Amino acid sequence: VFAMKLPSQYSIVRDIGATHTFTVVKTADGKIYRYAYGPTDDHIIHTISGSTPIVERNYSQDKEAVENYFTTGKDKKKKNVVPVNVPKGMTESKFDNVVIKSAKLFRGNKTVMYRIIPLGKSEGNCNTSTTSLLENAGVDKTEIDRIDSKVSGIDTGFGSIKPWTKE
């Protein structure tokens, strides 16, 4: 789990220490998958009001942070990286595959709305998406709480599992 400063377009909340989290899988063959979620558009009013669907996002800062982490270990926008302990009964390879498969379930669900501070069951943000993806891949609540305790900054919604991840 990568914890980052929010992308620059969200400076209104980034500047108070809000944290953007996303999940990264690096498979045994070296292939890297990034699963970050955010609003369909970047209008701050939509991210506050929950009027835009949540979608998989490919923020350039996330890509750079992951590349830097696996080459130099340094990135100025990265707050920290928290390794996830593989659930009992799974190999690391099996867990990687389950996370990748679970991430596919998030795609195309237009009923889930993005909100910086999620209020309802059908609202989420990057942090609820990261948490829900991990839970759906078999990570238990104790491990999610451990990860949450290691994430730097204000991680609104982290640890909050959304029901739409099971659908």
Side-chain angles (χ1 to χ4, degrees), residues 145-158:
D145 289 345
R146 184 195 69 80
I147 295 164
D148 187 18
S149 74
K150 304 285 184 191
V151 171
S152 299
I154 301 168
D155 60 350
T156 303
F158 201 96

Side-chain angles (χ1 to χ4, degrees), residues 1-25:
V1 173
F2 274 64
M4 305 283 295
K5 294 178 182 177
L6 283 176
S8 60
Q9 61 264 41
Y10 308 114
S11 62
I12 194 168
V13 288
R14 182 194 65 205
D15 295 343
I16 62 167
T19 299
H20 161 65
T21 62
F22 62 97
T23 306
V24 175
V25 174

Side-chain angles (χ1 to χ4, degrees), residues 3 8 17-18 26-27 61-62 69-70 76 91 102 104 114 126 133-134 144 147 154 161 163:
S8 60
K26 184 175 182 183
T27 59
Q61 76 166 32
D62 295 354
Y69 177 78
F70 288 113
K76 63 183 176 185
T91 64
S102 295
K104 291 178 183 177
Y114 181 91
C126 59
L133 172 61
L134 293 174
I144 288 171
I147 295 164
I154 301 168
I161 297 164

Side-chain angles (χ1 to χ4, degrees), residues 30-127:
K31 190 159 184 180
I32 297 173
Y33 298 86
R34 283 180 293 116
Y35 300 109
Y37 300 90
T40 305
D41 65 50
D42 294 323
H43 298 293
I44 193 67
I45 193 67
H46 295 164
T47 65
I48 292 170
S49 69
S51 62
T52 182
I54 193 168
V55 294
E56 192 169 338
R57 294 290 301 259
N58 289 305
Y59 297 112
S60 60
Q61 76 166 32
D62 295 354
K63 180 181 179 187
E64 291 169 17
V66 171
E67 289 172 355
N68 290 340
Y69 177 78
F70 288 113
T71 55
T72 66
K74 297 178 183 177
D75 190 276
K76 63 183 176 185
K77 293 180 183 172
K78 177 176 57 70
K79 291 183 175 187
N80 60 337
V81 176
V82 183
V84 177
N85 292 316
V86 175
K88 290 179 182 171
M90 281 192 205
T91 64
E92 190 169 327
S93 178
K94 171 72 174 168
F95 180 57
D96 291 347
N97 289 330
V98 171
V99 172
I100 292 165
K101 182 179 175 185
S102 295
K104 291 178 183 177
L105 298 174
F106 281 66
R107 293 187 180 132
N109 187 344
K110 303 261 191 256
T111 63
V112 180
M113 304 308 279
Y114 181 91
R115 186 186 296 255
I116 288 176
I117 301 175
L119 300 175
K121 290 182 180 181
S122 64
E123 294 178 343
N125 63 19
C126 59
N127 300 320

